Amino acid sequence: MTDDTPTDTDADDSRVDPERRRHLPDGGTAAGADDVTLDPWGSSTIADYRKLFEEFGIEEFDELIESVPNPHYLMRRGVIFGHRDYGPVAEALRNDDPAAVLSGFMPTGDPHIGHKLVFDEIIWHQQQGAEAYGLIADLEAHAARGLTWAEIDEHARDYLLSLLALGFDPDEGELYRQSGNREVQDLAFELGSKARFAEFEGIYGFDSETSISHMQSVVTQMADILYPQMEEPKPTVIPVGPDQDPHVRLSRDLAARMRFFKVTEAYFSQELDDAERALVAEAYGTLAGRADAGQEVRCVHGAQYLVDPDAVTLDADRPTVEVSELDDPVRASAVKKLQNAGMEPLRPRVRFLDRNASPDAFEDLVERIDGEKRRYDEHVDAFDLSPEDAEALAREVEVDNGGYGFHMPSSVYHRFMTGLTGGKMSSSIPASHISLLDDPAEGYDKVKSATTGGRDTAEEQRELGGEADKCPVYELYAYLLSGDDDDFAKRVYDECVGGERLCGDCKEQAAQLMKEFLAEHQEKRAEAEELLDGLDIELESPRRRVAGEGGGDD
Ligand code: TRP
Ligand code: SF4
């Protein structure tokens, strides 16, 4: 494999410090793929994972791995590289509190070793005590990819069998098809009332040619993601590739929009945005420190402080401030709001904003707030509650009054596997991937003919070492063939880059291991047939061929 022209943001950590990066290939420096767009229906290769942190706000998994109990090898090796808000899930797993994991699969082809990563993530979370859900995104495959129901039925079965064969426990979880899950479809409908077409245009590039079913498949996925919380709210993780991040972000927004109350921190009657609030918090903090007994910090003082911190006198009657001299628009608007509030006391509090609550639920909330409180038309302020307690109370009141009380779903992101022929691993290029249904001998052959990070000659390789970081075969070791054995993965890496390992033998070993894996997996799949047939899941769709099927709108 040849590298793309390196740029300064392009250098993968693994080349700088292999120890820290846990010996990972760069997972997709496929030629030409240096733009980072997150498109769930596009063909995703991610050239530079770092941009995902900078441009999309995905957080680094490394930073929180310490808080994860018994981290999975995919986490330890940095294959799972990013997350959104995984902290609450890790905490729930640590404390044996309720948590859930859910992911979905479009049955557009055979399940392959890339899908196995997600199967493993679901199963691992299940083993750590989370409720587990695996779903077949058949509505999406039909609407967005135009597959017929017959094709979908065939692939759906294959995904489910592999998931079971790898250890998914249906007694502690649920497998379903979107088309067969009435609750999901009903929830999708409700969520649709909180989503706007303009948003879909912005997020997914939908336009006047996009079919309504495709749009419906989006709200269906939103409902999938929130489905684990229908009985009871709980932290939920969605393990996916980073291409699914737009869906995750939308689901987080929709979950928040469904809530009865929004809890914020406030200092006086008016609403502030986050930036204004930070300024007001600072003003309050300093002035409260300066106040003598009997003196009260008022909004005008806060305004004055933000204009000139040294000119404030707390006993001044009604000081006026010149706002026009402020360049910073945030500061200017904070000052204006404070001035409007005049002699109103400036005091920290938590605020419950009424978003979707019924009058009864609002009443119930007001009643259940302990300590000093102040009630307004559309919000209520509580002076003796911590933000955490307020958040918990808001959820409790919502659930007791018939709402869902959704937690915003969390996600973890794994690297895409590089194709065996270089480039990206794709379901539509058989030689690029190893299907979980491939005959073991075929799997063996595919590994034997894979591209490597080897040098041109054995001498050169002994001298310079191989480039494990760019080697799809090494990736097979790291992502799959080493299993839980970190020492083995590290040994392969060290031997490769140290020049002791030559590609011929290395591939032979990998091919052998792949053959064994496939043989064993397929045996387990055969055993899982009976289990699957006993589950309450419709394996043959009653849906018929419909006019226009096979199109999709892509
Ligand atoms: N859109 C996903 C894909 O393209 C499939 C999917 C449907 C999904 N519902 C989901 C993934 C819920 C995660 C969670 O593969
Ligand atoms: Fe890849 Fe193995 Fe060759 Fe190293 S020795 S480049 S890991 S095939």
Side-chain angles (χ1 to χ4, degrees):
M1 266 174 93
T2 51
D3 199 1
D4 295 337
T5 324
T7 64
D8 49 359
T9 53
D10 196 19
D12 190 275
D13 283 353
S14 56
R15 270 163 257 157
V16 181
D17 178 1
E19 266 316 309
R20 213 193 72 74
R21 225 13 300 153
R22 301 190 184 81
H23 315 311
L24 255 198
D26 48 13
T29 27
D34 45 10
D35 56 326
V36 184
T37 49
L38 292 180
D39 173 2
W41 297 286
S43 54
S44 289
T45 40
I46 308 275
D48 184 352
Y49 284 88
R50 202 169 321 185
K51 285 206 185 129
L52 298 178
F53 304 131
E54 285 156 14
E55 287 176 27
F56 296 94
I58 291 174
E59 295 167 88
E60 289 188 50
F61 197 83
D62 262 7
E63 286 166 9
L64 117 180
I65 193 165
E66 303 282 302
S67 70
V68 179
N70 320 311
H72 189 270
Y73 70 82
L74 294 172
M75 298 172 172
R76 303 198 300 265
R77 290 180 205 154
V79 177
I80 295 172
F81 70 93
H83 73 101
R84 242 179 230 288
D85 201 15
Y86 187 67
V89 177
E91 187 183 330
L93 296 180
R94 273 198 320 276
N95 301 335
D96 278 327
D97 288 337
V101 58
L102 171 141
S103 197
F105 307 92
M106 261 212 276
T108 52
D110 286 356
H112 60 59
I113 54 176
H115 298 111
K116 177 181 179 287
L117 303 179
V118 184
F119 296 154
D120 285 344
E121 291 178 77
I122 295 176
I123 293 161
W124 178 85
H125 280 91
Q126 182 176 47
Q127 288 164 350
Q128 305 306 308
E131 266 172 36
Y133 298 80
L135 69 98
I136 301 298
D138 56 357
L139 293 179
E140 183 182 355
H142 188 65
R145 293 282 171 83
L147 267 79
T148 66
W149 289 104
E151 290 166 323
I152 287 171
D153 284 348
E154 180 196 330
H155 298 309
R157 184 174 183 89
D158 282 330
Y159 278 83
L160 295 169
L161 280 177
S162 278
L163 197 43
L164 291 168
L166 289 166
F168 184 93
D169 177 359
D171 294 333
E172 301 294 326
E174 185 179 339
L175 299 173
Y176 70 87
R177 294 173 65 143
Q178 288 176 326
S179 65
N181 191 328
R182 179 71 213 208
E183 283 174 284
V184 160
Q185 292 170 40
D186 289 349
L187 180 60
F189 183 84
E190 299 298 331
L191 294 169
S193 70
K194 299 282 179 203
R196 295 283 165 264
F197 176 64
E199 258 178 317
F200 280 24
E201 286 181 294
I203 300 172
Y204 303 113
F206 285 179
D207 59 25
S208 56
E209 294 304 306
T210 308
S211 81
I212 304 300
S213 300
H214 192 173
M215 295 184 214
Q216 199 180 333
S217 77
V218 173
V219 284
T220 305
Q221 177 158 357
M222 299 302 109
D224 289 329
I225 291 175
L226 294 169
Y227 179 62
Q229 301 193 63
M230 285 185 80
E231 288 288 314
E232 177 198 21
K234 58 181 79 70
T236 302
V237 60
I238 314 298
V240 276
D243 60 311
Q244 298 291 305
D245 185 56
H247 288 309
V248 170
R249 276 183 283 160
L250 179 61
S251 74
R252 290 172 61 80
D253 284 349
L254 293 182
R257 287 179 211 163
M258 292 288 281
R259 296 296 306 276
F260 282 15
F261 309 104
K262 178 181 167 138
V263 178
T264 63
E265 289 174 62
Y267 289 85
F268 59 110
S269 56
Q270 292 218 27
E271 272 312 297
L272 300 172
D273 67 25
D274 290 344
E276 294 166 346
R277 191 180 303 113
L279 287 176
V280 174
E282 180 208 319
Y284 171 78
T286 316
L287 294 175
R290 286 193 207 160
D292 294 330
Q295 277 182 325
E296 217 175 341
V297 182
R298 296 181 186 272
C299 290
V300 276
H301 301 134
Q304 206 177 27
Y305 175 91
L306 290 181
V307 173
D308 180 359
D310 300 321
V312 193
T313 42
L314 284 177
D315 39 24
D317 229 13
R318 208 183 211 296
T320 47
V321 269
E322 194 51 60
V323 184
S324 56
E325 41 190 83
L326 295 173
D327 296 337
D328 174 7
V330 175
R331 190 171 288 261
S333 79
V335 168
K336 200 152 168 224
K337 288 179 182 175
L338 286 162
Q339 247 184 329
N340 288 341
M343 294 302 279
E344 194 190 310
L346 192 60
R347 272 176 74 199
R349 63 199 72 184
V350 288
R351 172 161 300 162
F352 299 84
L353 293 157
D354 183 350
R355 273 206 165 146
N356 299 296
S358 63
D360 282 352
F362 190 68
E363 227 37 72
D364 190 24
L365 172 72
V366 174
E367 195 139 310
R368 284 161 71 173
I369 292 174
D370 284 334
E372 189 184 343
K373 53 193 142 184
R374 189 175 206 109
R375 165 193 193 138
Y376 301 81
D377 270 357
E378 309 244 302
H379 70 261
V380 48
D381 285 356
F383 293 85
D384 303 321
L385 278 186
S386 69
E388 296 73 38
D389 289 348
E391 198 51 74
L393 178 64
R395 179 167 285 123
E396 226 173 271
V397 170
E398 177 172 344
V399 170
D400 291 349
N401 285 274
Y404 290 113
F406 290 134
H407 288 263
M408 286 206 273
S410 313
S411 54
V412 286
Y413 301 110
H414 58 80
R415 288 169 178 249
F416 291 117
M417 286 181 104
T418 309
L420 297 172
T421 42
K424 69 179 183 121
M425 184 173 289
S426 157
S427 313
S428 51
I429 311 170
S432 80
H433 69 260
I434 292 171
S435 157
L436 296 175
L437 312 185
D438 276 348
D439 188 78
E442 193 182 342
Y444 175 95
D445 288 342
K446 281 184 183 175
V447 176
K448 287 288 268 205
S449 38
T451 317
T452 74
R455 307 285 174 179
D456 291 342
T457 64
E459 289 74 62
E460 225 184 295
Q461 176 116 344
R462 285 204 187 86
E463 197 181 311
L464 300 169
E467 297 188 280
D469 292 324
K470 293 181 194 165
C471 178
V473 177
Y474 177 69
E475 216 176 275
L476 293 177
Y477 282 104
Y479 286 51
L480 191 155
L481 301 174
S482 306
D484 210 37
D485 189 346
D486 289 347
D487 291 341
F488 178 53
K490 186 168 173 356
R491 195 161 65 239
V492 172
Y493 185 91
D494 290 345
E495 288 174 4
C496 170
V497 300
E500 298 144 51
R501 186 174 266 266
L502 297 183
C503 295
D505 289 348
C506 183
K507 287 212 273 189
E508 173 61 30
Q509 188 181 19
Q512 200 60 45
L513 288 168
M514 185 60 78
K515 189 163 113 187
E516 285 162 22
F517 162 74
L518 288 172
E520 194 192 314
H521 180 64
Q522 286 162 19
E523 218 168 278
K524 290 197 183 137
R525 279 176 54 99
E527 288 164 21
E529 297 266 2
E530 209 177 315
L531 185 58
L532 178 60
D533 291 332
L535 296 180
D536 182 22
I537 176 168
E538 206 159 54
L539 295 164
E540 269 171 49
S541 174
R543 296 182 187 223
R544 307 283 289 269
R545 193 180 159 76
V546 289
E549 193 176 67
D553 56 22
D554 282 344

